[in-house]
Amino acid sequence: MTTARDISKSVRDGNATAVDTAKSALNAIAEQDEELGAFVCVCEEHALAQAERIDAMAADERKKLSLAGVPIALKDNICTEFAPTTCASKILDTFKPPYSAHVTEKLVDAGAIIVGKTNLDEFAMGSSTENSAKCITRNPWDRDRVPGGSSGGSAVSVASGMTPIALGSDTGGSIRQPASLTGVVGLKPTYGRVSRYGLVAFGSSLDQIGPFARTVEDAALLLNVIAGADSRDSTCVSADVDDYVASLSEPITGKKIGIAREYFGEGLADGTRKQVEAALDKLRELGAETVEIKLPLTKYGIACYYLIATAEASSNLARYDGVHYGHRSQDAGDIVEMYSASREEGFGPEVKRRIMLGTYALSSGYYDAYYLRAMKVRTLLRRDLENAFAKVDVICSPVTPDTAFKIGEKSSDPLAMYLADVYTITANLAGIPAMSVPCGFDGAGLPVGLQLMGPAFSEAMLLNVAHQYQIYTNHHERVPS
Amino acid sequence: MVASLTTKTIVGLEIHVQLATRTKLFCGCALEFGATPNSRTCPVCLGLPGSLPVMNRAAFDASVRFALAMNCKIATYTKWDRKSYYYPDLPKNYQISQYDLPLGYEGYCDIDGDEGQSKRIRIRRAHLEEDAGKNLHDVPGCSLVDLNRTGTPLLEIVTEPDIDCAQDAFDFCTGLQKLAVYLGVSEASMQKGQMRFEPNINVEITRGGEVFRTPIAEVKNLNSFRAVRDAIEYESKRQVQDWLADEDYVFGKASNENRGWNADKQMTEYQRSKEAAHDYRYFPDPDLMPVTTTADWVDSVRKELPESPTVRCDRLVSAFGLSQGDADLIVADRGDAELFDAAVDGDKKLAKRMTSLMLGAAKKSANDRELTVSTVLPSATSWQQLVRMVEDGVVNASAGERLLLEAMENTAGEIDFEQMAKDRNLVQVQDVGQMSAWVEQVFTENDGAVQDALSNPKKAKAAPGFLTGKVMQVSGGKADPKVVRQLIAAKIKEMQTE
């Protein structure tokens, strides 16, 4: 398994060409993806052109590229002007944006090679990548199982080694949960750390773009490229960006790790609990200290999240109406019919469900009871965490209550699917950074992830703790057969 | 026997004013009237997936200026809200607006009322929002959408229902237009649709001590002052007629309605009932940060506001004794008014001179070129020099006018009028001996007029003026007419006593 760090170094040093690294990723996709279904679009032409451009650069120019020749996959809700951006939805099936996302530009500038766009739950709504109008994405550890979601395609691209790194987006756990279920590293940055310009919005106050990688170091390398101010996103913060790679090697002696009872309660599978507890032992062994904390409001997170996220989504997705772009129903009479038929045909059932939930929550007479109340709970949840971070540096927990489930197993029970987001959504509601790092395998040989949450803008510290953990463990070195 | 009726019209106005910013409210696209359809657009104003709005600070600042000029309080914390409704010219299917926390609130504007009394119209709120695009239906078989206008900053101003007649509404609207132009926050061009009005009208009817109120009609999208006046006029009659025909046509029983103005038929037409009110599902836009203002900043903006046209007018009348009409003319253009004040510099005598020079020859000359006086000859120093020369009798009024017109023909820069008067040989002769000699000459050459002055009762009054004109002619315009008049009067008196 070659890392982004090594690929980039050899391309910079002239020991490998970007065209070769691009081709090897494209070959891997050609060999594996028919079965895995991680990609909805392969950008061969763009990838080779970008690779040739890098190879044609003067050596000293190429040396400045931190991701020189590194193949990367982008979740298909991140705009690329050279490839369609469909959000795995029929309604945007033919949509090719006339512009690229901020992160897309940053990656191209850093010498990364975008080889394709990955599958997701339609408009990032889901936890299994099953809600895709495109294809089924399979977990490389057990192909009858889901990879998690919504960034399932990006997770699988990295887990199967098709690309060393990928980008996903995380609104309620959509990076961390698939990272956990496929045994890779996934990080959701602080809200505002990475520009959302060009990320197709789901829940605007919750969405963040973040990295997938096999190693924490690669995740840090990728975050270095995408983090930072962007004048096109008013919610993007201009605070200085740490060098996330530089601080990885610090010892973690004396770090205080908070453990909240609420994250180890009912519903947590034994196999997962065991691995997470073993990981905590390991961290103690490395000199960290664990402290019991209380996060009593955790149980309100799900209700709060599913009101805010759906309310914002109902508004964000209003623009898909068949008038200006995207799918337009052919057999509608007047404009109102055209609206409803285009949306009826263009959206899948989960998206419709959430639009209806959100529309209801914002409706006159219900707004105060639902949306406004949820926003107040959100403030309390944030305060709950702030209090906790006054005592500890990191909060550790499982990422998901259980490992990957079977494809189709939960499709008929959306509520059960929602409830499984319990450990991840708090970080989105509070806007804090959180990551998943592989911490072992359950009895069925399925990967388990450890979640680390930190205060706002503490990415460097989280990456440092996770990296130290990886140095002394080898879970991340195991690859699916 | 039918009890007598008295009626009172009640009107509140909603007014949209397009701000004169260089770019749109949430993106960098240029604001340009009449450009090729959809050529002034970008991913943000097209509402493309993944695009995000960024507030145009200039639009916010202009709004605060306008709100302050309307005596509004300025919110210390305001935010952006999404107003949801589906329409093809609204690409996101929501409009970014301000719902419960408008940037300006509780203001007022005064208009002229009856018998010189001013009337106060309270402003309920002023908030900033983005405009929609335009649907075009002139191609057969399809509808087209032009999104050039999408995202244009609009200030929506809502008054309290303090207006009680069509003329007051007309005056309020024209006053607001003047104010907007004066502040430089809007071109407020009616031709370009930069001001749109929506009066809410109902009538309070009193019959034998009993009071009835008609349902409120909102007349949508009026784009001229006259339409505002005529629609209100029409509605005040129509509503009473409808009530007379059906006494259940009252507020609370019959529903409020939207109506449109048909200018050809000079009548409003029913559009829809407000019973089926839209649920706009307002909520705070998570893509934009709230805006906060400090008292210091608001004060500094307030200090930089120009004097409002009405206040300025009142001051010109009271401080300089100008007529209301002259003051109105000077104040109509902010540049002219500022030039006037700078040149006159508080001197009452200069003010009178300046008024006659500015509103006479200068204004005509500028108007002929469709310009304003201050754009043609902007130097206050030059103006002051000229006005002072006329006032001090260095040149006479007609020579002053001549110099002014020549200057306005040729240059917009600094003018040395003294030098110019010398070069043109227009400096008045102050030598009384010389002027007496001219008077003598004219008396000799115009004996008829002299006789008229002495003994023709019909012409005795006009004759001295005629003689003065002759002296001015002989002097080549250089004689001081004031002195000449005195000399002629003395001479006639002397001849009469002889």
Side-chain angles (χ1 to χ4, degrees):
Chain A
M1 181 69 56
T2 325
T3 61
R5 181 196 65 182
D6 292 346
I7 293 170
S8 165
K9 186 170 188 310
S10 44
V11 171
R12 277 201 303 270
D13 294 348
N15 296 327
T17 67
V19 168
D20 284 344
T21 64
K23 277 187 177 158
S24 85
L26 291 167
N27 287 341
I29 295 168
E31 279 167 24
Q32 298 184 61
D33 200 50
E34 201 168 328
E35 214 185 320
L36 291 173
F39 286 84
V40 295
C41 165
V42 178
C43 316
E44 183 164 356
E45 206 178 313
H46 164 83
L48 292 176
Q50 162 83 342
E52 279 161 17
R53 189 178 72 85
I54 291 163
D55 288 337
M57 276 181 173
D60 57 335
E61 281 299 306
R62 194 164 49 237
K63 278 212 186 311
K64 293 176 194 160
L65 304 177
S66 63
L67 292 175
V70 178
I72 185 168
L74 261 54
K75 188 177 183 179
D76 204 28
N77 60 353
I78 297 171
C79 285
T80 45
E81 58 185 330
F82 48 82
T85 299
T86 69
C87 296
S89 178
K90 193 180 164 192
I91 211 155
L92 284 179
D93 202 23
T94 54
F95 180 68
K96 194 172 167 188
Y99 74 106
S100 283
H102 177 77
V103 292
T104 306
E105 291 173 358
K106 286 282 191 183
L107 287 171
V108 170
D109 290 349
I113 294 167
I114 297 162
V115 292
K117 306 291 291 289
T118 59
N119 200 18
L120 63 151
D121 287 299
E122 184 179 359
F123 284 103
M125 296 178 186
S127 317
S128 65
T129 315
E130 292 167 294
N131 305 327
S132 164
K134 295 288 185 179
C135 58
I136 291 288
T137 303
R138 295 172 183 279
N139 192 320
W141 295 95
D142 176 346
R143 292 174 187 198
D144 292 332
R145 290 179 188 269
V146 301
S150 65
S151 314
S154 286
V156 169
S157 179
V158 174
S160 62
M162 292 188 279
T163 58
I165 51 175
L167 284 186
S169 69
D170 190 316
T171 306
S174 281
I175 290 174
R176 291 159 288 157
Q177 186 256 18
S180 175
L181 267 45
T182 61
V184 298
V185 175
L187 169 77
K188 180 203 92 74
T190 308
Y191 185 76
R193 181 71 296 178
V194 178
S195 169
R196 293 184 294 118
Y197 189 77
L199 170 67
V200 180
F202 160 18
S204 310
S205 72
L206 303 155
D207 298 338
Q208 268 295 286
I209 294 171
F212 282 99
R214 290 208 69 82
T215 65
V216 173
E217 188 178 0
D218 275 3
L221 193 62
L222 179 49
L223 186 60
N224 269 353
V225 171
I226 61 170
D230 175 18
S231 60
R232 296 169 297 186
D233 175 1
S234 314
T235 63
C236 189
V237 175
S238 58
D240 285 345
V241 179
D242 297 312
D243 182 340
Y244 299 112
V245 177
S247 49
L248 291 176
S249 49
E250 308 266 323
I252 61 167
T253 324
K255 280 267 182 302
K256 283 203 176 121
I257 293 175
I259 309 213
R261 192 192 311 271
E262 292 82 359
Y263 282 76
F264 292 85
E266 202 187 327
L268 178 60
D270 285 344
T272 300
R273 179 194 300 272
K274 225 169 104 186
Q275 297 307 319
V276 171
E277 280 172 355
L280 294 172
D281 287 341
K282 190 75 198 176
L283 289 171
R284 276 189 284 262
E285 211 177 287
L286 295 173
E289 182 191 330
T290 53
V291 183
E292 283 257 352
I293 56 164
K294 285 202 179 104
L295 294 171
L297 299 181
T298 303
K299 61 182 174 210
Y300 300 113
I302 298 263
C304 177
Y305 171 83
Y306 276 96
L307 285 169
I308 293 170
T310 57
E312 292 178 0
S314 73
S315 166
N316 286 330
L317 272 63
R319 70 190 67 194
Y320 309 112
D321 59 7
V323 174
H324 300 279
Y325 50 82
H327 175 75
R328 177 189 292 182
S329 175
Q330 288 313 305
D331 29 76
D334 62 11
I335 181 75
V336 176
E337 259 180 55
M338 186 179 105
Y339 284 147
S340 47
S342 301
R343 288 166 70 79
E344 161 63 28
E345 294 162 18
F347 290 134
E350 181 60 27
V351 172
K352 286 179 191 157
R353 182 178 298 125
R354 297 200 191 193
I355 290 174
M356 285 190 283
L357 267 172
T359 303
Y360 184 76
L362 289 178
S363 293
S364 156
Y366 300 99
Y367 179 87
D368 289 359
Y370 294 117
Y371 185 78
L372 200 63
R373 179 77 55 89
M375 290 303 273
K376 287 177 180 167
V377 173
R378 183 178 188 174
T379 305
L380 296 177
L381 271 164
R382 183 178 289 146
R383 221 170 278 162
D384 215 13
L385 278 161
E386 276 166 15
N387 292 338
F389 286 122
K391 294 181 211 123
V392 299
D393 301 303
V394 189
I395 296 171
C396 281
S397 75
V399 178
T400 60
D402 205 347
T403 50
F405 50 90
K406 287 253 168 63
I407 291 169
E409 190 183 323
K410 291 189 186 175
S411 309
S412 58
D413 190 356
L415 191 59
M417 198 88 101
Y418 293 176
L419 293 174
D421 295 341
V422 61
Y423 303 142
T424 49
I425 49 179
T426 315
N428 301 82
L429 288 168
I432 58 169
M435 67 185 292
S436 173
V437 61
C439 70
F441 296 83
D442 72 356
L446 295 167
V448 176
L450 168 73
Q451 176 168 251
L452 298 92
M453 292 187 276
F457 302 106
S458 68
E459 285 85 351
M461 193 241 328
L462 292 184
L463 287 161
N464 169 222
V465 173
H467 178 70
Q468 291 302 310
Y469 174 78
Q470 272 197 338
I471 290 177
Y472 296 99
T473 53
N474 57 7
H475 310 299
H476 60 289
E477 285 164 11
R478 253 174 83 175
V479 291
S481 51
Chain B
M1 174 174 163
V2 181
S4 70
L5 293 183
T6 55
T7 63
K8 184 188 167 208
T9 305
I10 304 169
V11 182
L13 288 166
E14 286 175 28
I15 301 165
H16 286 93
V17 182
Q18 178 183 325
L19 300 181
T21 48
R22 205 171 49 77
T23 56
K24 293 185 178 181
L25 184 49
F26 296 112
C27 66
C29 287
L31 281 186
E32 224 176 296
F33 180 75
T36 312
N38 297 309
S39 62
R40 299 295 181 271
T41 57
C42 73
V44 177
C45 55
L46 292 175
L48 292 186
S51 67
L52 294 170
V54 176
M55 183 188 78
N56 178 351
R57 183 74 208 196
F60 185 83
D61 291 356
S63 303
V64 169
R65 281 162 59 80
F66 202 175
L68 282 172
M70 294 185 293
N71 305 294
C72 285
K73 294 176 184 164
I74 302 300
T76 52
Y77 176 95
T78 179
K79 64 185 170 66
W80 302 100
D81 299 287
R82 294 183 180 178
K83 176 183 181 178
S84 294
Y85 64 93
Y86 279 78
Y87 210 61
D89 67 7
L90 189 68
K92 302 186 294 291
N93 286 324
Y94 62 79
Q95 178 195 29
I96 305 177
S97 181
Q98 299 186 300
Y99 179 50
D100 52 343
L101 299 172
L103 63 89
Y105 59 99
E106 290 175 18
Y108 62 86
C109 289
D110 292 335
I111 56 168
D112 288 336
D114 307 327
E115 291 139 25
Q117 298 287 309
S118 75
K119 266 193 202 171
R120 179 152 293 185
I121 311 298
R122 289 170 299 154
I123 307 293
R124 181 179 295 174
R125 55 181 286 158
H127 75 257
L128 190 51
E129 63 186 25
E130 56 175 351
D131 204 351
K134 262 187 200 157
N135 294 335
L136 309 169
H137 304 290
D138 43 7
V139 178
C142 70
S143 289
L144 301 172
V145 185
D146 176 7
L147 297 179
N148 280 352
R149 203 178 65 183
T150 310
T152 297
L154 295 179
L155 189 69
E156 179 175 327
I157 299 158
V158 182
T159 75
E160 295 292 346
D162 289 351
I163 299 168
D164 57 16
C165 67
Q167 186 58 40
D168 282 358
F170 183 92
D171 291 347
F172 177 81
C173 293
T174 51
L176 210 60
Q177 183 203 32
K178 268 189 212 160
L179 183 60
V181 172
Y182 219 69
L183 294 166
V185 297
S186 173
E187 275 183 63
S189 152
M190 308 304 289
Q191 286 73 29
K192 295 181 186 173
Q194 293 174 341
M195 275 185 104
R196 304 200 287 268
F197 310 93
E198 295 179 341
N200 283 258
I201 309 151
N202 72 339
V203 183
E204 194 178 279
I205 304 166
T206 313
R207 185 182 58 189
E210 232 185 318
V211 176
F212 305 86
R213 283 188 189 83
T214 53
I216 299 170
E218 177 171 350
V219 186
K220 305 295 287 180
N221 248 324
L222 300 176
N223 52 18
S224 78
F225 301 124
R226 185 184 300 178
V228 171
R229 188 180 55 199
D230 295 351
I232 294 171
E233 201 87 66
Y234 178 85
E235 274 299 302
S236 0
K237 291 184 188 125
R238 196 267 308 163
Q239 294 186 11
V240 175
Q241 293 303 322
D242 284 6
W243 175 78
L244 284 170
D246 171 10
E247 291 209 359
D248 278 344
Y249 190 71
V250 289
F251 185 83
K253 273 192 186 168
S255 55
N256 293 341
E257 57 196 51
N258 282 353
R259 301 183 71 91
W261 176 244
N262 185 327
D264 295 333
K265 296 186 186 163
Q266 284 291 298
M267 61 186 288
T268 65
E269 288 164 349
Y270 177 85
Q271 286 176 335
R272 66 175 174 83
S273 157
K274 286 209 164 185
E275 286 302 273
H278 248 326
D279 181 359
Y280 290 116
R281 298 194 306 280
Y282 281 102
F283 82 108
D285 191 329
D287 288 332
L288 288 157
M289 304 303 283
V291 188
T292 54
T293 60
T294 64
D296 283 353
W297 178 75
V298 171
D299 277 346
S300 72
V301 176
R302 190 183 280 117
K303 275 189 194 122
E304 283 163 26
L305 285 182
E307 195 176 20
S308 86
T310 34
V311 172
R312 188 166 225 148
C313 239
D314 291 348
R315 180 173 56 78
L316 295 190
V317 171
S318 63
F320 300 131
L322 266 52
S323 72
Q324 185 68 41
D326 283 352
D328 273 341
L329 281 171
I330 290 168
V331 168
D333 179 75
R334 181 173 154 197
D336 285 2
E338 280 172 357
L339 176 64
F340 180 90
D341 269 327
V344 162
D345 198 19
D347 185 318
K348 194 169 173 177
K349 279 187 179 163
L350 291 190
K352 292 233 158 148
R353 277 288 170 213
M354 178 87 182
T355 305
S356 61
L357 277 171
M358 198 174 192
L359 297 181
K363 189 140 186 106
K364 183 172 185 317
S365 162
N367 284 351
D368 288 347
R369 282 172 276 174
E370 292 182 344
L371 292 169
T372 61
V373 172
S374 57
T375 44
V376 181
L377 188 63
S379 164
T381 323
S382 302
W383 269 98
Q384 191 180 54
Q385 184 192 33
L386 179 68
V387 172
R388 205 177 282 284
M389 279 162 65
V390 176
E391 184 58 28
D392 294 349
V394 177
V395 295
N396 62 45
S398 66
E401 230 167 63
R402 194 183 134 189
L403 290 170
L404 181 60
L405 288 176
E406 195 185 326
M408 287 177 71
E409 285 300 317
N410 298 324
T411 169
E414 198 99 351
I415 311 277
D416 185 346
F417 279 112
E418 252 172 52
Q419 189 57 48
M420 207 171 147
K422 277 181 200 155
D423 294 348
R424 309 287 182 285
N425 208 14
L426 289 172
V427 176
Q428 292 196 126
V429 171
Q430 302 294 338
D431 177 352
V432 180
Q434 174 64 70
M435 282 189 273
S436 298
W438 283 328
V439 170
E440 289 297 331
Q441 184 192 337
V442 167
F443 269 61
T444 317
E445 288 168 5
N446 298 277
D447 189 50
V450 174
Q451 291 312 317
D452 284 346
L454 285 172
S455 52
N456 185 341
K458 280 187 182 168
K459 293 186 177 172
K461 275 199 174 160
F466 172 81
L467 291 168
T468 308
K470 283 288 171 191
V471 174
M472 292 308 291
Q473 241 172 40
V474 170
S475 75
K478 292 195 301 183
D480 184 338
K482 231 191 310 181
V483 178
V484 171
R485 265 194 294 276
Q486 283 163 7
L487 288 172
I488 288 173
K491 175 102 183 144
I492 288 170
K493 207 171 180 186
E494 184 190 308
M495 289 168 81
Q496 277 168 337
T497 54
E498 264 171 14

